[in-house]
Amino acid sequence: MSDTQDLRVAVLGVGVMGADHVDRINRRISGARVTVISDASPERAAQVGATARDAQLVADPFEAIAVEDVDAVLLATPSAVHAEQVLACLHAGKPVLCEKPLATDAEGALEIVRREAELGRRLVQVGFMRRFDHEHERLKSLIDTGDLGQPLMMHCAHRNPAVSPRCDSAAVITNSVVHEIDATRFLLGEEIMAITVLRPTPSSHAAEGLQDPQLVILETETGRMVDIEVFVNAGVGYEVRTEVVGERGSAMIGLDVGLVRRTEPGSWGGQITPGFRERFGQAYDSEVQRWVDAIHAGGRSGDCVDGPGSWDGYAAAAVCAAGIRSLETWDRIEVDMVPRSIIGRSGSAGAAPDQPE
Ligand SMILES: NC(=O)c1ccc[n+]([C@@H]2O[C@H](COP(=O)([O-])OP(=O)(O)OC[C@H]3O[C@@H](n4cnc5c(N)ncnc54)[C@H](O)[C@@H]3O)[C@@H](O)[C@H]2O)c1
């Protein structure tokens, strides 16, 4: 690939998220095209492959990563296989954008951090797309300029209309709360030291045994507190609200204030975003475009990440692991994280010790 050539991307896993990324690269991203599609389901691969001009179908995901005319890999496979597929990308020296989570356990994520550090260049970006959402960017800059004063607390709500009946209580943390965990690190710029998961009365719409909703409390290293209501069978729509309370005021995003309509007889209102693709469509587009641009800029020897990297994936996985323990024990659990400074030099882990990106 030269600066003027399109980045040749393999998309692995073309279910809901992967098909969306294929469509995005085909229609809205400049400087990239999909050259390989791989999915465990040949029917699904063929169906999505038909939408991507000239994309080759490769059944085995590891072969797909190794294909010569693949410059970079976008992983949207099930979370359980992310770690082994990211490691294969590192082995092949290819940049990878891995949908969250980076790994389903902290050890798997830490192994990726270490391997990337050994390579000495950043190749792993993690799909925490909220960092690219314009509302989150505005909130972050408001905090960073000091206009809110020192931030003291955050209140978050994360509601989905419904989830698959296969979703269990731990997956609510690793699939949903993981976004608030990353948003907390991004907005407040510090690590999370402890987590407590509380169990309100479960909704009768939740599958048998599923703890839904959950109330999660995060504590950061300087003592700020973040409360998160996560309710994945809320039935209403997709709602992600974040309020930061500082010493000089508060600011909130995610209010869904679009068109407000007044109609007869005497009613008014708007619409709640139906799902994450509608709410964060702009963020996914920006995330993928900036990833593509970073790879063009990094070339064959430089860093290929613009946004959350492997350390962020590890930090989130460590907090999730503590959250699952809290869910099981009903206790406040301190996060067990290796200090960032002990990971050897890579553009990512060693560059700015103890500062989330
Ligand atoms: N960033 C976000 O907001 C966001 C939103 C949704 C999903 N995700 C993440 O994206 C990933 C995929 O989620 P989804 O909802 O698209 O799931 P999905 O089940 O719709 O799609 C997964 C696809 O991967 C295929 N697959 C299974 N095993 C495979 C393997 N070993 N190699 C290649 N393909 C394989 C399946 O056949 C399926 O088509 C998950 O990790 C999820 O956490 C992120």
Side-chain angles (χ1 to χ4, degrees):
M1 177 202 52
S2 75
D3 276 357
T4 53
Q5 281 173 339
D6 277 347
L7 183 78
R8 298 164 301 179
V9 180
V11 180
L12 272 54
V14 287
V16 175
M17 207 58 225
D20 210 42
H21 283 312
V22 169
D23 181 59
R24 166 171 299 110
I25 294 172
N26 280 343
R27 300 199 297 139
R28 295 190 294 284
I29 300 301
S30 62
R33 64 194 159 91
V34 177
T35 50
V36 167
I37 283 178
S38 180
D39 195 286
S41 154
E43 296 78 28
R44 184 71 188 157
Q47 191 186 1
V48 178
T51 68
R53 249 183 320 122
D54 307 330
Q56 183 190 346
L57 306 187
V58 178
D60 182 88
F62 297 101
E63 276 177 33
I65 291 166
V67 167
E68 205 171 310
D69 75 344
V70 163
D71 304 308
V73 179
L74 199 164
L75 281 187
T77 47
S79 307
V81 299
H82 286 182
E84 61 184 19
Q85 294 178 345
V86 171
L87 287 174
C89 294
L90 287 179
H91 185 70
K94 294 189 180 178
V96 54
L97 171 56
C98 175
E99 266 306 339
K100 60 83 197 164
L102 179 59
T104 46
D105 57 26
E107 294 72 26
L110 186 58
E111 176 62 11
I112 291 168
V113 173
R114 289 189 198 282
R115 296 275 276 275
E116 189 190 45
E118 282 163 17
L119 285 179
R121 57 190 288 239
R122 302 181 67 195
L123 290 179
V124 181
Q125 182 156 335
V126 182
F128 288 126
M129 78 298 177
R130 288 193 192 174
R131 294 183 184 221
F132 301 88
D133 169 57
H134 291 329
E135 284 192 301
H136 281 78
E137 287 174 333
R138 285 185 63 192
L139 185 56
K140 167 81 174 149
S141 76
L142 193 62
I143 294 168
D144 289 352
T145 55
D147 283 5
L148 283 180
Q150 200 217 141
L152 304 171
M153 295 176 285
M154 268 170 58
H155 306 294
C156 307
H158 184 154
R159 300 182 190 146
N160 296 70
V163 287
S164 147
R166 283 172 291 142
C167 177
D168 63 24
S169 304
V172 172
I173 293 176
T174 55
N175 285 338
S176 299
V177 179
V178 70
H179 281 297
E180 272 72 24
I181 289 170
D182 185 66
T184 296
R185 296 182 63 255
F186 170 63
L187 292 170
L188 299 182
E190 58 176 332
E191 296 296 357
I192 295 161
M193 305 312 283
I195 178 168
T196 309
V197 181
L198 303 171
R199 300 160 159 257
T201 305
S203 162
S204 59
H205 300 295
E208 183 70 31
L210 177 67
Q211 178 56 52
D212 183 37
Q214 299 177 18
L215 212 53
V216 179
I217 315 285
L218 306 177
E219 296 168 52
T220 70
E221 53 192 346
T222 64
R224 292 162 176 153
M225 290 205 181
V226 178
D227 59 81
I228 305 157
E229 171 213 306
V230 57
F231 188 9
V232 295
N233 288 286
V236 177
Y238 183 69
E239 297 176 78
V240 170
R241 267 199 301 283
T242 308
E243 182 183 26
V244 176
V245 182
E247 287 176 334
R248 298 219 318 267
S250 62
M252 190 188 285
I253 57 172
L255 288 174
D256 263 338
V257 187
L259 182 86
V260 177
R261 192 173 164 202
R262 304 170 83 87
T263 46
E264 290 181 276
S267 61
W268 68 274
Q271 282 204 313
I272 297 175
T273 311
F276 58 87
R277 283 184 295 170
E278 294 82 1
R279 168 66 181 86
F280 288 114
Q282 167 273 314
Y284 295 121
D285 284 357
S286 300
E287 169 191 69
V288 175
Q289 186 63 66
R290 279 174 51 183
W291 175 63
V292 167
D293 294 346
I295 298 169
H296 280 295
R300 296 203 178 276
S301 54
D303 290 345
C304 295
V305 173
D306 180 3
S310 60
W311 178 263
D312 301 295
Y314 164 66
V319 179
C320 285
I324 292 167
R325 285 237 324 119
S326 176
L327 191 63
E328 290 162 357
T329 60
W330 301 60
D331 286 334
R332 171 186 179 274
I333 302 290
E334 293 195 357
V335 177
D336 182 16
M337 243 174 93
V338 302
R340 188 169 186 175
S341 49
I342 72 159
I343 307 294
R345 147 78 192 147
S346 87
S348 146
D354 304 320
Q355 252 320 304
E357 289 151 287

